[in-house]
């Protein structure tokens, strides 16, 4: 099996699978609070210096800056979130797709890198039947770790909705 960390095409495939798997049935203001707090708790357990942001459309529903972060993290969040808004895909997937083609987003995209960052950490909030309605973003760790934290948080958030195995 190819390690996606070293194979850009395998990484693109893995990221697409994550996005197709992590789909919500609904997403309310209360859900944003629960997901944001879950991510903050995960980050605190790991002493991870991150900022967490959840948007539904243009409205910010959750924002938390943990110790060790700065306003720079807010700027990264804005830039990564704009990628999700523009492409309806995770910021990590957009960057990985460019790398799989042997280039970078910054070198090949006409978009201003001061406004857009195709670095891991922003993930689309996708609702069954409605498509992408917002984003959840983490900033403060290396991009693969920012992305992984968001994915783990969404997996845990969705766990109660996961199909239950019938008991014998």
């Amino acid at each position: 099996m190819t390690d996606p960390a070293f194979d850009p095409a395998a990484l693109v495939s893995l990221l697409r699978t994550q996005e197709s798997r992590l789909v919500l049935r609904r997403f309310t203001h209360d859900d944003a609070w629960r997901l944001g707090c879950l991510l903050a708790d995960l980050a605190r357990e790991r002493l991870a210096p991150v900022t967490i942001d959840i948007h539904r459309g243009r409205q910010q529903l959750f924002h938390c800056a943990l110790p060790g972060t700065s306003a720079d993290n807010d700027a990264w969040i804005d830039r990564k979130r704009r990628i999700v808004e523009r492409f309806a895909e995770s910021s990590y997937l957009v960057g990985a797709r460019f790398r799989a083609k042997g280039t970078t987003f910054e070198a090949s995209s006409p978009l201003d890198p001061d406004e857009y960052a195709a670095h891991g950490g922003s993930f689309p909030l996708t609702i069954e039947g409605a498509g992408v309605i917002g984003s959840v973003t983490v900033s403060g760790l290396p991009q693969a770790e920012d992305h992984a934290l968001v994915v783990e948080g969404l997996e845990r958030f969705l766990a109660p909705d996961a199909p239950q195995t019938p008991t014998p």
Side-chain angles (χ1 to χ4, degrees):
M1 179 177 194
T2 305
D3 183 350
F6 299 106
D7 180 349
L11 179 59
V12 167
S13 178
L14 171 69
L15 298 173
R16 283 184 176 154
T17 299
Q18 288 174 343
E19 289 187 23
S20 65
R21 186 171 51 82
L22 298 172
V23 175
L24 305 154
R25 292 191 178 139
R26 65 187 183 112
F27 197 74
T28 66
H29 288 69
D30 288 338
D31 292 329
W33 177 258
R34 287 189 305 108
L35 175 59
C37 290
L38 188 155
L39 285 165
D41 288 343
L42 287 172
R44 280 190 185 99
E45 288 171 11
R46 297 165 190 179
L47 303 175
V50 297
T51 299
I52 302 157
D53 179 87
I54 299 175
H55 267 71
R56 182 177 180 124
R58 301 290 299 155
Q59 184 181 19
Q60 184 179 54
L61 301 180
F62 184 92
H63 188 87
C64 174
L66 296 177
T69 61
S70 72
D72 289 342
N73 297 105
D74 294 327
W76 273 99
I77 281 173
D78 289 343
R79 293 169 60 217
K80 292 190 275 188
R81 188 186 71 249
R82 285 186 193 108
I83 292 289
V84 173
E85 290 170 351
R86 176 98 180 206
F87 294 94
E89 297 176 319
S90 75
S91 55
Y92 200 29
L93 174 56
V94 172
R97 190 175 294 113
F98 277 90
R99 289 187 296 281
K101 294 177 184 174
T103 187
T104 64
F105 175 82
E106 295 78 10
S108 298
S109 171
L111 299 174
D112 182 353
D114 289 335
E115 297 291 320
Y116 294 88
H119 294 264
S122 192
F123 200 92
L125 292 171
T126 304
I127 305 294
E128 290 176 6
V132 175
I133 56 92
S135 61
V136 53
T137 310
V138 168
S139 173
L141 304 170
Q143 67 172 332
E145 293 176 39
D146 278 347
H147 178 83
L149 182 61
V150 172
V151 167
E152 182 181 350
L154 282 168
E155 288 171 341
R156 289 186 184 203
F157 181 79
L158 286 167
D161 291 336
Q164 300 297 313
T165 306
T167 52

